Amino acid sequence: KQEVTQIPAALSVPEGENLVLNCSFTDSAIYNLQWFRQDPGKGLTSLLLIQSSQREQTSGRLNASLDKSSGRSTLYIAASQPGDSATYLCAVDSGGGADGLTFGKGTHLIIQP
Amino acid sequence: EAGVAQSPRYKIIEKRQSVAFWCNPISGHATLYWYQQILGQGPKLLIQFQNNGVVDDSQLPKDRFSAERLKGVDSTLKIQPAKLEDSAVYLCASSKTGTATNEKLFFGSGTQLSVL
């Protein structure tokens, strides 16, 4: 059974800093890994999707990497802004569309102005 | 493009009562998912539909939860009778085919359920 762990559970940094969120998973037989953002009282917004054959994906100030063999992914946020404050969730697709996604518990990020 | 619509946004009920949630996915999306998110946890898949058929309902507590997607478009999730531990946010998501390996999921805003 796939398990996803995110470290740290919470993080508070001053505005402007670069930061890294970590995600690990137990079964390396995955189709893809996705990073989501969740704002309080809202649903999830997909940020980046990395297919199993890829090493990284970039979108603006966000960069996600994937090391499938070691079961790890990182989300790098450059030049953090207060608007980046949210919970970031990592999710793994082990079923190629079926079985849904397995989520971590998330990292609650606060960017101090 | 309209997103995934869910209603109601909030619901407060007493234990042993029944409740229903509604979801309308993005137009043309074949796959619809219901997830349960307990406070402080990541979402957990309850049921997945491909058009109007069930793909996976292995984590759905079938003694009290039921879901349907009769015409392959919108869906209803019902809980009867509700228990205290059902307090959670119920999220609906959709994807275009549900079978592609590079396909993103789109989530609705969720229904926050409190069972007293």
Side-chain angles (χ1 to χ4, degrees):
Chain A
K1 177 186 172 185
Q2 180 75 267
E3 292 183 5
V4 179
T5 303
Q6 290 187 246
I7 294 173
L11 181 63
S12 180
V13 301
E15 179 178 4
E17 284 199 4
N18 303 323
L19 56 99
V20 174
L21 308 182
N22 297 290
C23 171
S24 62
F25 47 95
T26 54
D27 186 348
S28 61
I30 66 170
Y31 287 86
N32 65 58
L33 181 145
Q34 296 185 54
W35 284 93
F36 291 86
R37 169 183 173 140
Q38 185 171 31
D39 292 284
K42 301 285 181 65
L44 281 67
T45 300
S46 181
L47 298 173
L48 291 164
L49 183 153
I50 311 176
Q51 295 189 69
S52 63
S53 59
Q54 298 174 324
R55 296 284 293 182
E56 65 178 347
Q57 282 288 328
T58 298
S59 176
R61 294 182 294 106
L62 305 179
N63 176 277
S65 69
L66 173 64
D67 184 343
K68 199 172 72 163
S69 61
S70 68
R72 294 181 183 177
S73 175
T74 61
L75 179 65
Y76 175 83
I77 302 177
S80 58
Q81 302 171 358
D84 295 330
S85 298
T87 296
Y88 290 80
L89 293 147
C90 168
V92 170
D93 181 357
S94 302
D99 307 329
L101 299 175
T102 302
F103 282 85
K105 294 183 179 181
T107 293
H108 182 54
L109 176 64
I110 296 175
I111 307 299
Q112 306 155 12
Chain B
E1 178 182 75
V4 177
Q6 288 190 247
S7 67
R9 282 289 282 123
Y10 305 93
K11 192 73 178 178
I12 300 174
I13 61 172
E14 295 187 351
K15 60 183 179 183
R16 291 189 289 274
Q17 286 187 324
S18 62
V19 64
F21 314 126
W22 175 82
C23 171
N24 194 24
I26 292 173
S27 178
H29 279 198
T31 308
L32 185 149
Y33 310 79
W34 283 102
Y35 283 86
Q36 179 194 57
Q37 186 176 23
I38 293 172
L39 187 64
Q41 306 285 320
K44 182 185 82 172
L45 179 69
L46 292 176
I47 188 166
Q48 176 182 346
F49 292 96
Q50 185 74 16
N51 297 308
N52 61 350
V54 175
V55 173
D56 180 11
D57 63 356
S58 57
Q59 299 192 86
L60 187 74
K62 297 181 187 64
D63 57 335
R64 298 183 301 106
F65 286 64
S66 65
E68 60 183 14
R69 193 185 184 200
L70 294 176
K71 297 182 179 178
V73 180
D74 57 344
S75 175
T76 304
L77 176 69
K78 296 180 181 177
I79 307 175
Q80 182 179 13
K83 292 185 175 182
L84 297 177
E85 59 261 35
D86 298 332
S87 294
V89 176
Y90 290 84
L91 294 162
C92 179
S94 71
S95 63
K96 196 164 187 180
T97 68
T99 55
T101 59
N102 62 345
E103 201 165 79
K104 290 185 177 181
L105 261 64
F106 296 86
F107 281 82
S109 297
T111 295
Q112 186 171 331
L113 173 67
S114 297
V115 182
L116 307 178

